[in-house]
Amino acid sequence: MKEKELEVSKREKLRREKPLVYDKVIKIADRYRQGIATPIIDVAYSYACNLQCEHCTASRFKKNSGRKLTPQDLRRISDEADALGYCQFCISGGEPLIFKDLDEVVKALQPDKFHLAMSTNGHFMTKEMARHLKAIGVDKVKISLDDFDPKAHDANRHDRGAYQKAIDALLHAREAGLSVVIQTVVTHQNCKSPNLLEMAKFAQENGFTVDVLVARATGSWEGKHEVLVDEADAEYLRQAHEQYPVLHRDTFPSYGMNKGCGCVDSTLHITQYGDVLPCVYVHIALGNIFEEALGDIVKRGQCIRCFKEHNPLCLSGEDRNFINKYMSKFYGKPLPVHWSEVFTPDDFVK
C-alpha cells in the first residue's frame, strides 16, 4: 500500500472508531497554516521500568523528589488540551505496562476525545494485554526495537530474550487491532547498516510503521556528538523512505505538511514531575503544569525564536548550532533546567 493510501486508511479507521478525535485531526493542516500549535503530548507518567537501556534518558530525571503526576492531574491536562483543540497523547515512562494504575491513566486521558498511543519495550505485551489496551481505548503502540540483530538489541537492553519479546509484542498488538509502530534509534555509526533496511522490509510486510529516532547527545550519550547523524545520514534516511514508505522520521512531511522540527508546535513532553519540555530530548522546562495553564506554557514556547521559526533539521539531533548553544547549557545539571537559564531576551520573538 502506498503512503497516501495508508494515511487515508488510517484516517477512515479513526473516523469510524473515534469520530470526535477525527473531527480534530482533520483540522491540523489548517491550524498549522494559521500558526496554531497542535502538539502530540507525550506524558512520562512514571519513570519506573523493568529494563536498563544504554540510551535511556529517564535516569537523569529520577533525582527530582517533588510532586508527581496523578490520574486527577492527567484529567485536568486532557481537559485543557481538548479545549485547545489538541487531539493526541502518548503514554510513556519508564515502562507503562508496569504501571499499577494504567487503566486509570488511560481513562483520565479521555480516549473518546484523544488518539492515544503508548511507548513500550513490549516485555509484557501478551495477547491478553494487547486486547485489553484496545478495549480501554488505546489506539497505537510504539514498541522499541534497537536493532534487527537479536544479540545487539538484547545487549543494549541488558536483557537476554528482549528482542523476541519485542517481536512477539508487535504481532500480538497487530492481532488485537492496534496500530503498530517500531521505534528505533539511529546513530551516525549504525545509520547505513543493512539491518535498518531489513527492519523496514519486515515492517512493510507486516503492516507496521518504523519511526526512526535520530540519536541525541543526551542521557548516557550526553556531550558525545559523534553519535549524531550528519547530512549524508539524513539523505540516506530520506532515500530509504522512498524505498520503504513505512519508514518515517520526525522531520519528514506528514498530513500534507512539511513542518521540519516539531518542537512545541507538534510535540510536547510532560515529565513525571509536571515539567513541560519542547520535546523529550530538549531538557528545558518551558513551565510546569502544576503552576501554569497548558495554553500559557505553549504560548511561551511559541515565542522562543528557535521553536517559532521553521527549521528543516531536528533541533536536538541535527542542528549543531542549537545543540552547542542551548543543549550544552543543561549538560551535567539536574534535569530539566528552567527556560530562564537557557534563553535570553534576544531569543524571544516579540
Side-chain angles (χ1 to χ4, degrees):
M1 184 180 293
K2 295 181 179 180
E3 185 175 11
K4 187 174 181 180
E5 294 174 344
L6 183 62
E7 183 60 36
V8 170
S9 176
K10 289 180 179 178
R11 291 285 184 97
E12 178 58 25
K13 179 182 179 183
L14 183 63
R15 187 191 64 80
R16 292 194 311 269
E17 297 183 353
K18 294 189 175 182
L20 295 179
V21 182
Y22 175 81
D23 288 343
K24 290 192 286 186
V25 168
I26 61 174
K27 298 174 183 176
I28 291 178
D30 284 339
R31 287 167 64 93
Y32 172 66
R33 286 188 285 269
Q34 297 175 59
I36 304 173
T38 314
I40 299 172
I41 303 178
D42 182 86
V43 182
Y45 180 71
S46 170
Y47 293 127
C49 189
N50 59 303
L51 298 179
Q52 295 181 328
C53 306
E54 287 289 338
H55 59 267
C56 183
T57 60
S59 61
R60 289 291 300 280
F61 293 86
K62 290 182 179 179
K63 296 178 182 179
N64 192 320
S65 58
R67 178 180 169 186
K68 299 178 182 179
L69 291 172
T70 66
Q72 291 73 30
D73 295 320
L74 295 184
R75 177 55 188 259
R76 177 177 58 81
I77 294 168
S78 67
D79 281 338
E80 291 184 42
D82 183 50
L84 291 166
Y86 303 167
C87 48
Q88 299 179 76
F89 279 103
C90 181
I91 304 166
S92 66
E95 171 49 49
L97 293 184
I98 67 172
F99 297 168
K100 293 181 179 180
D101 53 355
L102 178 58
D103 285 23
E104 294 177 60
V105 168
V106 172
K107 182 178 180 181
L109 292 177
Q110 304 183 79
D112 61 320
K113 297 180 181 179
F114 293 92
H115 182 276
L116 298 185
M118 176 183 293
S119 292
T120 171
N121 58 43
H123 201 86
F124 301 104
M125 184 70 73
T126 62
K127 290 183 178 181
E128 293 74 22
M129 175 59 76
R131 287 194 291 265
H132 178 71
L133 292 177
K134 180 66 177 177
I136 62 177
V138 175
D139 300 282
K140 177 191 293 183
V141 291
K142 302 178 180 183
I143 299 170
S144 300
L145 196 61
D146 302 326
D147 199 295
F148 211 51
D149 173 14
K151 291 182 179 179
H153 177 85
D154 288 359
N156 189 58
R157 298 275 155 173
H158 294 282
D159 184 82
R160 182 180 295 179
Y163 174 89
Q164 190 57 52
K165 288 182 179 179
I167 294 295
D168 291 344
L170 294 167
L171 301 175
H172 295 334
R174 183 186 64 182
E175 183 180 327
L178 293 161
S179 295
V180 183
V181 176
I182 298 172
Q183 286 191 315
T184 192
V185 176
V186 169
T187 67
H188 173 63
Q189 288 72 25
N190 71 9
C191 180
K192 298 176 183 178
S193 163
N195 288 345
L196 179 61
L197 296 185
E198 286 297 315
M199 184 185 295
K201 180 181 178 182
F202 167 77
Q204 194 151 294
E205 291 173 347
N206 285 278
F208 308 145
T209 300
V210 178
D211 274 0
V212 171
L213 309 177
V214 296
R216 276 77 165 186
T218 58
S220 61
W221 290 338
E222 187 170 275
K224 298 180 179 179
H225 294 180
E226 62 270 20
V227 304
L228 303 176
V229 297
D230 59 22
E231 291 183 13
D233 297 328
E235 175 59 20
Y236 178 83
L237 292 174
R238 190 195 66 78
Q239 292 179 10
H241 170 69
E242 293 293 326
Q243 182 178 2
Y244 296 103
V246 296
L247 190 149
H248 291 273
R249 57 163 305 198
D250 49 5
T251 56
F252 285 171
S254 61
Y255 298 109
M257 299 169 285
N258 188 7
K259 294 182 177 181
C261 184
C263 284
V264 182
D265 276 347
S266 300
T267 182
L268 287 174
H269 177 75
I270 301 180
T271 74
Q272 182 180 357
Y273 307 101
D275 294 304
V276 181
L277 317 184
C279 99
V280 67
Y281 299 103
V282 180
H283 301 153
I284 303 168
L286 301 174
N288 189 289
I289 205 67
F290 299 142
E291 302 167 359
E292 297 179 89
L294 178 62
D296 292 337
I297 296 172
V298 171
K299 286 180 181 178
R300 178 180 297 119
Q302 285 194 298
C303 288
I304 298 172
R305 191 182 309 278
C306 54
F307 303 139
K308 177 70 172 177
E309 297 177 349
H310 177 271
N311 191 329
L313 303 177
C314 169
L315 284 171
S316 59
E318 293 178 280
D319 189 322
R320 298 305 197 273
N321 179 61
F322 180 85
I323 294 167
N324 292 327
K325 185 176 181 179
Y326 299 111
M327 292 183 65
S328 62
K329 292 185 179 181
F330 61 68
Y331 286 172
K333 296 180 180 179
L335 300 177
V337 298
H338 193 265
W339 61 266
S340 62
E341 297 179 45
V342 178
F343 300 113
T344 69
D346 290 339
D347 290 312
F348 284 78
V349 178
K350 293 183 180 180

